[in-house]
């Protein structure tokens, strides 16, 4: 493999034109779409329009005339197309953390009603901290046990004590992907429910929540969905659970006015809206929702080219190439691959651990225009969004990494000063 061969791969790439949807700064190789997706050109326009016309001229009328009030469901339905959810099964609201609180509470309520002796929440020790903090807070509140295990110990935890298995589908550190359908099936056989965090999956890998018979899911708008900084998140529940919540008039814990069955009647007591709408709490952030809709549209734009399956094929080719090139060209530089080599186990990112200097190496790369990120204590993380990442970018990024490591330039003091966000 050489640089020309990467050029040839780009020339033959059926998804290449999708990159034109994005405002990519000159001279930047962006390998951090797993943290914050790139600005879609349409979003800059659309946000202007929402601000200038819908807010500026339409004012309060725009809740009806511009359909602001329907945004949680409208954008939710579009995300649903990417994760195997049916219409009306996804709502966009709040952050991933807040949505996780809501759906994990709902799952625990269902289990408390059916099997009150089940008192354990199991998750992965290496799960993203916010997931673990939310589970910890619920475990404290309800006097449950939160049990954290390694990935290969999960199946041993599927017993009659387990209430909810709460997992992130693709691990934020290693990029390792769980088999959603198989784990869900085994958890169900053991009588447990499963909550999936799709933060690193939605828009990154094919997901089919209904085919997997999953119970609840949440996910993030600002990563592979390109929704912009702080974009709202989404929540999903299987229709069997929302139907039961309807029948039994079950709440989620953050019962706010826009999750009420009739918010504009302004009545008490609280009566949950039917279906997923009960998972909405307060007023949607309209401007952010508008930007998120444009972001989701950039992923849906792949549909005529084969959709998520085609994106997945390219993503695997990109990550495979990156792994291979780093191993060839940066051998003996103390980098240890953290991401599974096996395609079926890999999300859309590649991580390398390095005993020392990881943060500074990433800073030196960023100074050269190759943007990835660092996750303490030792992970260099590179995300590959197939919508806008080219094979030539992979080649060039590895060449920069080689130069940074071989020259030792990362040792310079300026690369060793920790910023607040890494
Ligand atoms: C797995 C996972 N869950 C949740 C979040 C963030 O959640 P929030 O939207 O609450 O910031 C992240 C952020 O990187 C994440 O990686």
């Amino acid at each position: 493999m050489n640089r020309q061969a990467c050029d040839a791969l780009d020339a033959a790439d059926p998804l290449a034109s999708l990159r034109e949807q994005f405002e990519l700064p000159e001279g930047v190789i962006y390998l951090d779409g797993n943290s914050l997706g790139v600005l879609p050109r349409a979003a800059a326009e659309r946000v202007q329009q929402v601000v200038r016309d819908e807010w500026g001229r339409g004012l309060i009328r725009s809740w009806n005339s511009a359909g602001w009030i329907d945004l949680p469901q409208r954008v939710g339905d579009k995300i649903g197309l990417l994760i195997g959810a049916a219409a009306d099964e996804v709502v966009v609201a709040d952050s991933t953390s807040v949505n996780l609180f809501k759906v994990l509470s709902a799952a625990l309520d269902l289990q408390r009603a059916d099997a009150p002796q089940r008192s354990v929440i199991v998750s992965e020790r290496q799960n993203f901290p916010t997931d673990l903090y939310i589970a910890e807070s619920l475990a404290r509140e309800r006097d449950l046990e939160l049990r954290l295990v390694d990935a290969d110990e999960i199946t041993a935890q599927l017993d009659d004590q387990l209430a909810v298995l709460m997992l992130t589908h693709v691990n934020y550190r290693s990029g390792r992907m769980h088999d959603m359908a198989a784990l869900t099936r085994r958890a169900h056989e053991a009588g447990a429910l499963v909550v999936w965090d799709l933060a690193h999956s939605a828009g990154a890998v094919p997901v089919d929540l209904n085919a997997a018979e999953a119970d609840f899911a949440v996910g993030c708008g600002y990563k592979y969905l390109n929704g912009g900084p702080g974009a709202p998140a989404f929540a999903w529940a299987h229709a069997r659970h929302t139907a039961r919540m309807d029948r039994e008039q079950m709440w989620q814990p953050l019962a706010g006015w826009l999750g009420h069955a009739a918010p504009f009647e302004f009545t008490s007591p609280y009566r949950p809206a039917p279906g997923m709408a009960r998972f909405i709490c307060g007023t949607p952030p309209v401007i952010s929702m508008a930007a998120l809709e444009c972001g989701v549209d950039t992923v849906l734009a792949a549909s005529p080219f084969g959709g998520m399956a085609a994106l997945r094929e390219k993503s695997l080719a990109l990550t495979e190439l990156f792994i291979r090139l780093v191993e060839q060209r940066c051998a003996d530089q103390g980098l240890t691959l953290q991401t599974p080599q096996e395609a079926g186990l890999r999300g859309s990112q590649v991580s390398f651990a390095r005993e020392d200097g990881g943060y500074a190496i990433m800073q030196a790369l960023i100074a050269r225009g190759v943007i990835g990120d660092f996750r303490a204590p030792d992970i260099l993380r590179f995300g590959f969004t197939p919508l806008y990442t080219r094979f030539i970018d992979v080649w060039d990024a590895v060449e920069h990494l080689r130069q940074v490591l071989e020259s030792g330039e990362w040792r310079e003091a300026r690369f060793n000063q920790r910023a607040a966000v890494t």
Side-chain angles (χ1 to χ4, degrees), residues 384-405:
F384 296 85
T385 303
L387 285 172
Y388 48 75
T389 308
R390 297 169 302 192
F391 292 93
I392 199 81
D393 296 328
V394 174
W395 177 273
D396 289 343
V398 175
E399 177 56 18
H400 280 292
L401 179 60
R402 187 189 69 76
Q403 289 177 15
V404 163
L405 291 167

Side-chain angles (χ1 to χ4, degrees), residues 95-98 127-128 130-131 168 172 197 199-200 220 222-223 233:
S95 61
T96 311
S97 310
V98 173
N127 200 346
F128 189 73
T130 208
D131 299 56
T168 294
Y172 80 105
D197 182 338
H200 296 272
C220 187
Y222 51 77
K223 300 179 190 296

Side-chain angles (χ1 to χ4, degrees), residues 34-35 93-100 126-131 134 167-173 197-201 218-223 230-234 349 373 375 381:
N34 52 327
S35 211
D94 305 310
S95 61
T96 311
S97 310
V98 173
N99 287 335
L100 187 58
Q126 294 293 334
N127 200 346
F128 189 73
T130 208
D131 299 56
I134 293 288
L167 294 174
T168 294
H169 182 220
V170 176
N171 187 274
Y172 80 105
R173 240 167 213 288
D197 182 338
L198 304 179
H200 296 272
S201 310
V218 296
C220 187
Y222 51 77
K223 300 179 190 296
F234 63 88
Q349 72 174 60
D373 61 22
R375 289 293 171 259
R381 200 169 67 146

